[in-house]
Amino acid sequence: EPEVTQTPSHQVTQMGQEVILRCVPISNHLYFYWYRQILGQKVEFLVSFYNNEISEKSEIFDDQFSVERPDGSNFTLKIRSTKLEDSAMYFCASSDVGRTNEKLFFGSGTQLSVL
Amino acid sequence: AQSVTQPDIHITVSEGASLELRCNYSYGATPYLFWYVQSPGQGLQLLLKYFSGDTLVQGIKGFEAEFKRSQSSFNLRKPSVHWSDAAEYFCAVVEAAGNKLTFGGGTRVLVKP
């Protein structure tokens, strides 16, 4: 079965540093997403991306966050100046169907720890 | 705003016993409903989904779920659990015209030998 791949699996950074979380979606998928899960809390939607632009974002996704599809295979989430509260598991997901999330595939996540 | 509640944070069940995980949602119309499972070190895997039609849906790994509109519930069941079912289970909802999932808080299932 095709997979969404995320790297690294764990990332430790100092507060104020920039981090880039990387994702390789499934090759024929067109819709891309980032979700995150702070320890002990719910999985939360961050952003969706289609046709090289953000299609929807949550209130969490402020100016410190950005997403990019720099080439035909990668999808990245950048946090410009990390804060302690950014520590979370970040999940990338992709789909070939934009609405209903019928066929949403998730990666195994990147655990980000901000010290 | 839509919300999803999973009342049980932890459930411990003996291997071979039945399992039922509760999920309640709050949404004006009929949403699209999902159950995901997350095994340790793994991503979120879709177990099953409900969009319309038969309110009892079958999923992978022997799981099923029943949509009850009157109770705003979408409970997940398995008749006989296996040790490999130990994982965290998430109920999620998306509005019919939307493309973002709203997740419940998850239920962690422990399986005793």
Side-chain angles (χ1 to χ4, degrees), chain A residues 1 33 35 37 41-45 48 55-58 89 91 98-102 104-109, chain B residues 4-5 32 34 36 38 41-46 49 51 88 90 94 96-101 103-105:
Chain A
E1 184 172 84
Y33 308 84
Y35 286 78
Q37 183 182 27
Q41 299 185 23
K42 296 183 177 184
V43 178
E44 303 171 292
F45 168 81
S48 58
S55 49
E56 190 170 358
K57 61 182 181 180
S58 72
M89 177 73 87
F91 293 104
R99 297 193 179 278
T100 78
N101 282 245
E102 180 174 350
L104 194 62
F105 290 82
F106 283 87
S108 57
Chain B
V4 181
T5 303
Y32 295 161
F34 305 81
Y36 284 86
Q38 184 182 22
Q42 303 295 313
L44 294 162
Q45 182 183 23
L46 181 66
K49 59 186 183 289
F51 289 173
E88 187 151 22
F90 295 93
V94 63
N99 67 352
K100 65 178 184 181
L101 288 165
F103 284 86

Side-chain angles (χ1 to χ4, degrees), chain A residues 48-115:
Chain A
S48 58
F49 189 86
Y50 169 70
N51 199 26
N52 284 319
E53 62 182 24
I54 291 172
S55 49
E56 190 170 358
K57 61 182 181 180
S58 72
E59 61 275 11
I60 302 168
F61 195 88
D62 61 23
D63 292 344
Q64 291 299 311
F65 291 88
S66 63
V67 289
E68 191 178 33
R69 189 155 164 81
D71 53 42
S73 61
N74 290 284
F75 179 53
T76 61
L77 174 69
K78 181 192 290 187
I79 308 175
R80 289 189 183 81
S81 177
T82 50
K83 302 186 287 288
L84 296 177
E85 54 265 38
D86 294 327
S87 295
M89 177 73 87
Y90 288 81
F91 293 104
C92 173
S94 71
S95 171
D96 60 355
V97 178
R99 297 193 179 278
T100 78
N101 282 245
E102 180 174 350
K103 298 178 182 178
L104 194 62
F105 290 82
F106 283 87
S108 57
T110 293
Q111 180 66 55
L112 175 66
S113 298
V114 182
L115 306 179

